[in-house]
């Protein structure tokens, strides 16, 4: 087979024009574990893990594991019995699988045998033996609430569901003379999403950081169940607001693969325009914020000015500053006429010149470079160990970009024809993540101009018929890294299960490593250099 | 240092002074809002932003308030690190159950008389996420709200108008 000759799993390629995906079923847990071990050996990574409830169709539960391999993605599913849904722990092979497994247990109630069993997304808002993504969860919740209300009249003033109890979390303790803890969050000092960081420090040196996330968990995955395709598109565009185009495209690609529909070439070109504009907007903002976190307010002012110009053009050309709801299954809801394309080309030139000048100022500023260089280092071995993707992985020297050709891999259109030049930097520190952002802005501006000049003619949307029982997986290289969306349809053509996966799942653990042995005051800078999503992983 | 200063000088001041022409120019509107907020309030305003469960879209626009076009801090309206230093809580939502308690604590830590502004469709009414086992929905379901700013996300101008509306309610 495509991974190794003696693979016990039969794979079939997913149809369509999306990123290459092979689908297969593991006969049992050992087969899955063997496949994971082989994937790790050949340099593969765990791309996503989620679970689904198949009991309505006479089955039990199903575990879905996606592995990223040289030639594309392998989507392996494993059926689990309804009465004893357990599977082998994969966190010994892929450490970052641990949190995904814990979330899968919290959501669907299927558990790994061994490994970390602490809850992840469930804090105190619902009982430990109640699983929100099970089909019978709603009915069961009604029965339990009735019981609770009669038992307990002293409830919180508002209760959408179960009573909300405070929860303890068993952080790993660091001992030794002078070692102490600094708890931070969930509400952070800046304008940023909530999460909890537990630093164990000696003096100002960080010995260990442990993250506790889940504060942004708002039940997104449950809302997909029973929704139609259009409602799903609105939801997926709000999984992580800064990556709305990446999520919308990944979802659209998954639905289109399931429906066996290919979007028209012009729709794909417009999608790439939107995705590259999203990348540039975020990189501009991050470069400014990174300057600011190193006390270089000039950088914030200058880059935020450029970002504002950029998102204002989004609004004038596509009707929304962040281009929400522009990409839908079947195509796009917006188009770019000749005048719009000319405006894009013109602005690309202006931004390129301004960024080039600012880069010289950043590179030539000793104080700034002193803060950036050798701060928050991760090397490529660690990045591989943690299945890291995207900008942060490329900043350790790993040449992995879903938009670019590599041996055995052809990127999906329109990127196949664009000849994307992936950017890497081997230093692995904040300076590298800054440099990769600068270079990626330049490359995206080049791509935008190429797309604008050679825009394909034709329609921008095709009709879709919701297929009964079909499934699909979409993979998109967002600005942060690899965004995946897995979609399953029910027999009535409604969504049975949608799982959006953010690259931050793999990058949060990398951040824990990056701050080790740096000083506490460097944490905001290191954190910003990754700029990870909370909402995207908390769902 | 000299190239840096040259760059600052060449960029100039982007927050434009009042202009007679172009009534629909957003910059003119920004300036009018600045003046009015300060006139109504008569002093500086400190804001603590709390993300109680948003998708981060609203935060992108709150960040934009500090870019040189909107320049909120330039007019004495400042985002602060602690609710104890704040006159106003600017809250995005929906309020997740996992953030419900933290939001209540932040609210209690904000000195009276305090203003609470609910930001975005989700903050106003739960938005696409609504109320569920994991979501309390609107900010108003958890803490008292003075002004609601709809939008997905609301633009920086809408945010400034909402902040002005909240300041007016306080007078």
């Amino acid at each position: 087979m495509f991974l190794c000759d003696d693979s016990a799993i039969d794979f079939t390629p997913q149809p369509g024009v999306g990123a290459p995906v092979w689908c297969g079923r593991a006969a049992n847990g050992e087969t899955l574990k063997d496949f994971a071990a082989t994937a790790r050996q050949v340099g593969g990574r765990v791309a996503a893990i989620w679970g689904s409830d198949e009991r309505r169709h006479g089955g039990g539960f199903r575990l879905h594991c996606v592995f990223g391999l040289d030639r594309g993605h392998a989507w392996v599913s494993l059926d689990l019995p309804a009465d004893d849904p357990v599977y082998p722990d994969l966190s010994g092979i892929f450490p970052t699988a641990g949190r995904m497994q814990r979330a899968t247990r919290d959501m669907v109630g299927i558990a790994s045998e061994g490994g970390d069993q602490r809850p992840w997304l469930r804090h105190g808002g619902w009982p430990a033996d109640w699983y929100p993504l099970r089909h019978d969860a709603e009915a069961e919740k009604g029965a339990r609430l009735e019981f609770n209300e009669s038992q307990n009249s002293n409830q919180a003033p508002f209760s959408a569901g179960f009573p909300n109890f405070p929860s303890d979390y068993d952080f790993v303790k660091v001992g030794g003379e002078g070692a102490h803890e600094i708890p931070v969050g969930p509400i952070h000092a800046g304008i940023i999403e909530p999460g909890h960081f537990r630093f164990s420090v000696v003096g100002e040196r960080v010995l260990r950081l442990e993250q506790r996330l889940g504060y942004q968990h708002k039940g997104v995955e449950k809302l997909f169940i029973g929704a139609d395709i259009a409602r799903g598109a609105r939801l997926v565009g709000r999984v992580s607001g800064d990556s709305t185009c990446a999520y919308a495209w990944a979802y659209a690609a998954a639905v289109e693969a399931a429906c066996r529909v290919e979007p028209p070439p012009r729709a794909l070109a417009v999608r790439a325009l939107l995705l590259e504009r999203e990348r540039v907007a975020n990189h501009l903002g991050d470069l400014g914020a990174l300057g600011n976190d190193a006390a270089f307010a000039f950088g914030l002012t200058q880059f935020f000015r450029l970002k504002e110009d950029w998102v204002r053009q989004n609004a004038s050309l596509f009707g929304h500053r962040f281009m929400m709801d522009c990409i839908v299954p079947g195509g796009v809801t917006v188009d770019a006429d000749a005048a719009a394309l000319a405006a894009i080309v013109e602005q690309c030139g202006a931004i390129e010149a301004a960024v080039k000048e600012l880069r010289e100022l950043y590179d030539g500023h000793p104080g700034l470079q002193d803060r950036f260089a050798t701060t928050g280092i991760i090397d490529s071995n660690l990045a591989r160990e943690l299945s890291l993707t995207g900008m942060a992985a490329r900043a350790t020297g790993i040449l992995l970009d879903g938009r670019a050709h590599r041996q055995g891999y052809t990127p999906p259109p329109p990127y196949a024809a664009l000849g994307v030049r992936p950017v890497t930097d081997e230093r692995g520190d904040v300076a590298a993540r800054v440099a990769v952002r600068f270079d990626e802005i330049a490359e995206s501006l080049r791509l935008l101009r190429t797309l604008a000049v050679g825009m394909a003619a034709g329609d921008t949307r095709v009709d879709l018929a919701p297929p009964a029982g079909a499934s699909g997986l979409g993979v998109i290289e967002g600005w942060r890294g690899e965004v995946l969306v897995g979609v399953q349809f029910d027999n009535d053509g409604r969504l049975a299960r949608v799982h959006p996966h953010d690259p931050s799942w793999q990058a949060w653990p990398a951040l824990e490593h990056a701050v080790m042995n740096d000083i506490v005051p460097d944490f905001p800078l290191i954190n910003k250099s990754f700029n990870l999503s909370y909402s995207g992983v908390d769902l | 240092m000299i190239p840096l200063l040259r760059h600052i000088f060449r960029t100039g001041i982007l927050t434009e002074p009042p202009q007679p022409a172009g009534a629909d120019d957003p910059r003119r509107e920004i300036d009018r809002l600045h003046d009015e907020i300060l006139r109504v309030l008569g002093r500086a305003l400190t804001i603590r932003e709390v993300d109680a469960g948003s998708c981060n879209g609203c935060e992108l626009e709150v960040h934009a308030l500090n870019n040189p076009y909107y320049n909120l801090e330039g007019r004495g309206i400042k985002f602060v690190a602690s609710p104890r230093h704040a006159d106003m809580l600017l809250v995005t939502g929906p309020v997740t159950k996992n953030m419900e308690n933290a939001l209540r604590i932040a609210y209690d830590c904000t000195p009276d008389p305090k203003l609470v502004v609910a930001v975005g469709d989700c903050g106003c009414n739960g938005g696409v996420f609504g109320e569920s086992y994991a979501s309390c929905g609107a900010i108003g379901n958890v803490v008292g709200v003075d002004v609601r700013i709809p939008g997905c996300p609301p633009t920086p101008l809408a945010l400034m108008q909402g902040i002005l509306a909240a300041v007016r309610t306080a007078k």
Side-chain angles (χ1 to χ4, degrees):
Chain A
M1 208 21 241
F2 74 103
L3 179 65
C4 55
D5 288 336
D6 59 349
S7 170
I9 301 173
D10 281 332
F11 285 99
T12 50
Q14 176 173 282
V17 295
V21 171
W22 286 267
C23 312
R25 290 260 170 110
N28 54 51
E30 280 313 302
T31 312
L32 172 68
K33 196 172 178 181
D34 289 347
F35 185 84
T38 314
R40 177 81 184 93
Q41 272 170 19
V42 300
R45 59 195 192 281
V46 62
I49 294 176
W50 72 96
S52 61
D53 181 355
E54 309 290 335
R55 291 173 301 163
R56 281 206 298 205
H57 309 298
F61 296 96
R62 191 173 292 160
L63 178 75
H64 305 265
C65 298
V66 180
F67 300 98
L69 302 161
D70 277 347
R71 288 179 53 193
H73 286 78
W75 179 7
V76 183
S77 53
L78 171 67
D79 284 325
L80 303 171
D83 54 348
D84 184 27
V86 294
Y87 59 92
D89 173 33
L90 301 180
S91 67
I93 301 166
F94 293 107
T96 37
R99 287 177 182 175
M100 301 178 209
Q101 293 178 169
R102 291 160 66 189
T104 304
R105 198 263 326 279
D106 289 349
M107 291 291 102
V108 195
I110 62 180
S112 62
E113 286 176 296
D116 193 341
Q117 296 292 328
R118 289 175 296 172
W120 182 246
L121 296 178
R122 184 180 64 79
H123 289 189
W126 64 95
D129 62 346
W130 182 82
Y131 304 106
L133 297 186
R134 290 192 173 185
H135 292 310
D136 48 8
E138 253 349 275
E140 205 196 331
K141 186 176 86 177
R144 288 205 200 186
L145 270 178
E146 226 165 88
F147 175 74
N148 278 332
E149 272 158 16
S150 62
Q151 292 286 305
N152 179 7
S153 57
N154 190 24
Q155 282 194 8
F158 182 82
S159 173
F162 298 103
N164 200 359
F165 295 111
S167 64
D168 282 333
Y169 188 76
D170 197 9
F171 286 99
V172 174
K173 294 267 181 261
V174 173
E177 196 184 331
H180 65 282
E181 288 186 345
I182 307 175
V184 179
I187 300 178
H188 299 304
I191 301 166
I192 186 171
E193 298 178 77
H196 185 95
F197 299 134
R198 186 64 59 96
F199 296 94
S200 297
V201 302
V202 166
E204 60 181 3
R205 197 161 65 99
V206 179
L207 299 179
R208 183 187 158 86
L209 162 64
E210 185 171 359
Q211 299 142 355
R212 186 197 187 191
L213 305 179
Y215 291 91
Q216 295 277 62
H217 178 70
K218 43 194 168 277
V220 179
E221 286 179 289
K222 190 168 180 63
L223 294 173
F224 282 108
I225 297 175
D228 61 19
I229 290 178
R231 158 101 173 134
R234 266 189 74 75
L235 271 172
V236 88
R238 285 154 183 82
V239 165
S240 178
D242 57 35
S243 301
T244 180
C245 294
Y247 275 97
W249 192 351
Y251 169 78
V255 171
E256 286 152 7
C259 294
R260 302 188 178 251
V261 161
E262 294 185 5
R266 187 176 180 91
L268 291 170
V270 172
R271 283 178 183 178
L273 266 184
L274 302 177
L275 186 71
E276 296 311 315
R277 290 191 68 83
E278 180 170 274
R279 191 181 321 275
V280 170
N282 281 291
H283 282 356
L284 286 173
D286 282 352
L287 286 171
L290 278 159
N292 199 47
D293 278 344
F296 192 50
F298 164 87
L300 184 75
T301 307
Q302 293 289 340
F303 277 105
F304 268 50
R305 163 178 87 98
L306 301 181
K307 183 178 178 183
E308 180 68 18
D309 289 341
W310 193 255
V311 299
R312 281 184 183 186
Q313 193 177 66
N314 288 343
S316 72
L317 297 183
F318 304 116
H320 192 282
R321 283 162 58 93
F322 303 108
M323 303 168 291
M324 279 179 169
D325 306 317
C326 291
I327 297 175
V328 293
V332 286
T333 60
V334 294
D335 201 356
D337 59 16
L341 294 172
I344 287 173
V345 170
E346 191 191 330
Q347 197 189 32
C348 284
I351 293 284
E352 185 169 47
V355 170
K356 190 162 172 265
E357 220 174 297
L358 288 173
R359 183 172 199 174
E360 279 165 19
L361 292 170
Y362 266 44
D363 287 349
H365 194 292
L368 194 62
Q369 292 306 317
D370 183 52
R371 291 289 307 278
F372 287 173
T374 72
T375 305
I377 296 179
I378 46 168
D379 66 21
S380 60
N381 288 332
L382 181 70
R384 286 199 179 85
E385 178 95 19
L386 299 178
S387 300
L388 195 63
T389 68
M391 178 267 303
R394 291 191 287 278
T396 71
I398 295 176
L399 200 76
L400 178 70
D401 187 328
R403 303 171 299 157
H405 288 269
R406 58 177 187 264
Q407 196 172 5
Y409 173 86
T410 306
Y415 288 106
L418 291 175
V420 176
R421 296 189 285 252
V423 174
T424 60
D425 189 307
E426 288 175 0
R427 292 172 291 175
D429 54 3
V430 173
R433 292 185 283 277
V434 168
V436 166
R437 281 182 171 93
F438 270 117
D439 288 333
E440 289 195 352
I441 288 175
E443 179 65 1
S444 286
L445 293 173
R446 185 185 74 81
L447 296 175
L448 282 167
R449 278 183 289 230
T450 310
L451 282 162
V453 170
M455 180 63 71
D459 293 334
T460 54
R461 204 164 168 183
V462 290
D463 290 334
L464 294 161
S471 57
L473 178 71
V475 185
I476 291 297
E477 186 76 29
W479 70 268
R480 206 180 257 123
E482 195 175 84
V483 170
L484 291 92
V485 176
V487 169
Q488 280 176 272
F489 282 95
D490 228 324
N491 289 333
D492 60 2
R494 294 195 162 259
L495 294 165
R497 181 82 173 88
V498 173
H499 176 73
H501 179 96
D502 197 272
S504 304
W505 278 105
Q506 288 93 330
W508 279 113
L511 175 63
E512 288 184 339
H513 286 268
V515 296
M516 268 185 221
N517 292 319
D518 273 305
I519 59 176
V520 177
D522 270 336
F523 175 72
L525 180 68
I526 299 168
N527 189 25
K528 179 51 78 177
S529 75
F530 285 89
N531 192 9
L532 304 178
S533 173
Y534 300 71
S535 184
V537 297
D538 291 349
L539 296 171
Chain B
M1 200 64 199
I2 287 173
L4 198 72
L5 292 172
R6 198 187 302 133
H7 199 98
I8 292 171
F9 183 73
R10 250 191 301 131
T11 305
I13 295 170
L14 297 166
T15 324
E16 289 187 339
Q19 306 164 354
D24 54 346
D25 185 347
R27 294 190 192 177
R28 193 176 142 80
E29 175 67 4
I30 291 164
D31 206 78
R32 193 186 64 74
L33 287 168
H34 274 154
D35 286 348
E36 201 164 347
I37 290 172
L38 287 186
R39 188 176 56 75
V40 173
L41 201 67
R43 59 181 169 84
L45 177 74
T46 55
I47 303 174
R48 171 65 240 201
E49 201 268 356
V50 178
D51 179 345
S54 84
C55 74
N56 198 31
C58 290
E59 276 61 37
L60 298 178
E61 294 297 44
V62 176
H63 273 294
L65 288 175
N66 279 332
N67 77 35
Y69 290 113
Y70 305 105
N71 192 24
L72 219 49
E73 288 211 356
R75 296 301 184 97
I77 301 165
K78 208 176 149 194
F79 288 91
V80 292
S82 168
R84 296 184 198 281
H85 303 158
D87 304 307
M88 175 188 287
L89 288 181
L90 193 68
V91 191
T92 63
V95 185
T96 64
K97 288 196 85 170
N98 292 351
M99 278 301 289
E100 184 184 358
N101 193 34
L103 176 60
R104 283 185 208 283
I105 294 171
Y107 180 85
D108 290 342
C109 289
T110 311
D112 287 320
K114 54 195 157 202
L115 292 166
V116 178
V117 176
V119 173
D121 288 349
C122 301
C124 292
N125 58 28
V128 287
F129 305 112
E131 292 170 15
S132 71
Y133 77 95
S135 167
C136 304
I139 312 295
N141 287 342
V142 177
V143 295
V145 168
D146 297 289
V147 167
R148 293 171 176 80
I149 309 175
C152 186
T155 61
L157 266 184
L159 288 168
M160 289 176 71
Q161 285 157 349
I163 290 168
L164 172 63
V167 164
R168 279 210 179 107
T169 67
K171 270 287 170 181

